[in-house]
Amino acid sequence: MSKIKLKLFLIALMGSLFSIGFECQAQKSTQSQKDFLITNYGSKGDGKTLNTIAIQKAIDAAFKNKGGRVVFPKGKFLSGSIVLKSNVTLYFEEESVLLGSTNSKDYFNMAFDGRPDSPKKDDNSQMALILAHKANNIALQGKGTIDGQGLQLALNIDSLHHAGIAVDPKYSLRRNRPSETMRPKLFRFSQCENVAVEGLKVGEASCWGLSFELCTNLVLDNLKIVNRSYWNNDGIDITDCKNVKVTNCDINAADDGICLKSYYPGYCNDGVYIANCTIRSSASAIKFGTASVGGFKNVTIKDIKVYDTFRSAIAIESVDGGKIENIEVSNVEALNTGNAIFIRIGQRSGYKPGSIKNINIKNIKVQVPFGRPDSNYDLRGPEVDFFHNPFPASIVGLEGYAIENVTLENIEINYPGRASKGMAYIPLNRLHQVPEVAKEYPEFSMFGELPAYGFYVRHANGISMKNIKLTLDAADFRPAFVFDDVKNLKMESINLPNEKEKQLVFKNVISSNIEKQLEEQVLEIQH
């Protein structure tokens, strides 16, 4: 077993042990915890009465008791921002619903003191329905529902802006909607330790759904997340957290499904385990970035099902100087998904390029459609604003900043074909036409038309491909692979459609090791 695989195995084992320990601790504490029924503090489950003060009184009472369960019984309880405190569990009985207020005045920005300075301005609000800051041993559990009522809340915020009552200085005229700074999230937890969210139905925020930053020992399990009320509706956002376990979640999001972010230099997401999740997204299913200041390391992703997703099944991006390393992805099945794999080093303004290395991706099966995968959904990702043929998977660094040591094994991708030179065309003798776009927002469509239908790889060192199968529903005039400025390329057991033209294009490829039967498929492009 390699050192990298051993390290990833130990991370997964530690995550399991942590989860077991946390569950045992939770069970033990639940047995001795006192219950604080919110209706005893004045809450009314009629869906109309604003219960913010009453719910907060129950939380405060449990906190003063040095711990307890704040119980939501059957009913619909309307509330604005509430603050969860140490050693308190919010427990939602079956048929209990926490409804987010649709009045923006019922939410507030929580002051998160002690956060490290970030060179990247955080444009997202600190407002949320449920807030927690430096709270330890906290949980949200049960069989109930947390519904942010985000569409009506966002429309009310929009109306207040146009009426001049609560003007949004960052209002988007182009997109005709209020900015993220004005729209509350569902959860916003910062600098918390020992956090568990389990068994609930949650979502419908006016912005991000479940947002965690700088937290340690985080367990998200058996959640049904539907967050497609409005724009920027990510499912789960995890920022610079340690020891994270996300399992058995069903996520349906209008934006990224599970998004790992990094805003703080010297910090990173470290020790993240994501498994047994189903994801549908009008953006990317699982994404590293876009915020990528510190970085991401020691991440295991396995047993994931993706469907009807507009962008990438897996997107790994370092565009703010962050280091990404020791990433293991396996057993991913993506149906009706716009792109299989996108790995990118970029350089957004003011940041030195970061690094991506030691990426192991195996047992991946993806079906890419010809049209939009999310066309049947009310909220759809923004259209690509240029004519193009279907996009390939891509691994693209920058000149002088190569993506290093990427292993792709047991990968099967079905492409639609139907590419037309009349739609868009980059001749193989003009590969330099593919722009670097170092400072652009990272996305699999960012380079414009690409000259390969299967994989486009540029500025990379140490790419190993084994047992790769590409299929086409219809003919595609482009080659399967284009490698440009690539060192130490290894290819073994490559299964391609029977095409007359050569299917591997090499430009400035140094030290390649490919099977003999593939050699006749290689077209060398001179400088």
Side-chain angles (χ1 to χ4, degrees), residues 203-235:
E204 306 302 8
S206 65
C207 192
W208 296 357
L210 282 60
S211 175
F212 307 90
E213 70 161 18
L214 298 164
C215 293
T216 303
N217 300 339
L218 170 64
V219 171
L220 308 177
D221 182 57
N222 193 28
L223 301 175
K224 185 174 180 60
I225 301 171
V226 179
N227 206 37
R228 15 183 307 212
S229 289
Y230 203 66
W231 299 99
N232 312 109
N233 269 185
D234 292 4

Side-chain angles (χ1 to χ4, degrees), residues 155-371:
L155 293 177
N156 288 346
I157 292 169
D158 185 79
S159 296
L160 291 172
H161 168 80
H162 290 289
I165 297 171
V167 175
D168 179 0
K170 297 182 180 180
Y171 189 92
S172 175
L173 293 174
R174 176 173 174 265
R175 294 175 175 172
N176 198 30
R177 61 177 182 256
S179 66
E180 295 167 79
T181 60
M182 302 295 287
R183 291 182 272 122
K185 301 173 174 61
L186 197 69
F187 298 178
R188 184 62 162 165
F189 292 6
S190 178
Q191 294 173 278
C192 298
E193 292 188 13
N194 301 332
V195 180
V197 185
E198 301 167 315
L200 302 171
K201 297 178 181 178
V202 298
E204 306 302 8
S206 65
C207 192
W208 296 357
L210 282 60
S211 175
F212 307 90
E213 70 161 18
L214 298 164
C215 293
T216 303
N217 300 339
L218 170 64
V219 171
L220 308 177
D221 182 57
N222 193 28
L223 301 175
K224 185 174 180 60
I225 301 171
V226 179
N227 206 37
R228 15 183 307 212
S229 289
Y230 203 66
W231 299 99
N232 312 109
N233 269 185
D234 292 4
I236 299 171
D237 291 279
I238 299 170
T239 301
D240 294 320
C241 294
K242 292 184 177 181
N243 299 335
V244 176
K245 188 176 181 182
V246 181
T247 52
N248 308 310
C249 292
D250 185 341
I251 302 167
N252 189 336
D255 210 312
D256 297 318
I258 299 176
C259 193
L260 306 181
K261 298 176 180 290
S262 178
Y263 278 98
Y264 304 105
Y267 295 80
C268 66
N269 277 312
D270 185 359
V272 178
Y273 179 81
I274 301 170
N276 300 313
C277 293
T278 299
I279 304 170
R280 175 264 159 198
S281 165
S282 277
S284 292
I286 298 179
K287 177 179 175 181
F288 295 64
T290 297
S292 48
V293 176
F296 317 89
K297 64 181 182 179
N298 305 321
V299 179
T300 298
I301 300 167
K302 61 184 292 187
D303 302 324
I304 305 296
K305 292 187 181 298
V306 178
Y307 69 100
D308 296 356
T309 287
F310 178 45
R311 293 176 178 162
S312 302
I314 302 293
I316 302 174
E317 306 164 359
S318 173
V319 295
D320 297 326
K323 296 180 179 179
I324 302 179
E325 58 186 35
N326 301 339
I327 312 299
E328 182 97 4
V329 180
S330 63
N331 302 334
V332 177
E333 181 177 352
L335 296 175
N336 195 35
T337 296
N339 182 56
I341 299 165
F342 177 68
I343 305 177
R344 170 63 168 163
I345 294 177
Q347 186 183 15
R348 291 202 287 186
S349 181
Y351 298 96
K352 180 181 177 181
S355 62
I356 299 177
K357 64 181 180 180
N358 302 336
I359 311 296
N360 187 11
I361 301 175
K362 64 181 181 180
N363 302 332
I364 309 295
K365 187 174 183 179
V366 181
Q367 180 255 326
V368 178
F370 186 76

Side-chain angles (χ1 to χ4, degrees), residues 1 28 153 162 172 203 238 332 347 361 389 410 453-454 488:
M1 182 179 294
K28 183 178 179 181
L153 174 58
H162 290 289
S172 175
I238 299 170
V332 177
Q347 186 183 15
I361 301 175
N389 288 301
N410 300 334
Y453 78 78
N488 300 310

Side-chain angles (χ1 to χ4, degrees), residues 47-58:
K48 299 177 181 179
T49 302
L50 187 66
N51 296 294
T52 312
I53 294 174
I55 295 171
Q56 191 64 56
K57 283 182 178 179

Side-chain angles (χ1 to χ4, degrees), residues 67-108:
R69 291 198 321 169
V70 173
V71 178
F72 289 72
K74 179 180 177 181
K76 295 182 177 180
F77 298 92
L78 186 69
S79 179
S81 294
I82 55 175
V83 180
L84 188 55
K85 298 183 178 180
S86 292
N87 304 311
V88 175
T89 294
L90 300 186
Y91 186 81
F92 296 83
E93 293 184 344
E94 196 166 4
E95 297 187 56
S96 68
V97 182
L98 173 61
L99 290 175
S101 171
T102 58
N103 186 342
S104 63
K105 292 183 179 179
D106 294 328
Y107 298 88
F108 60 85

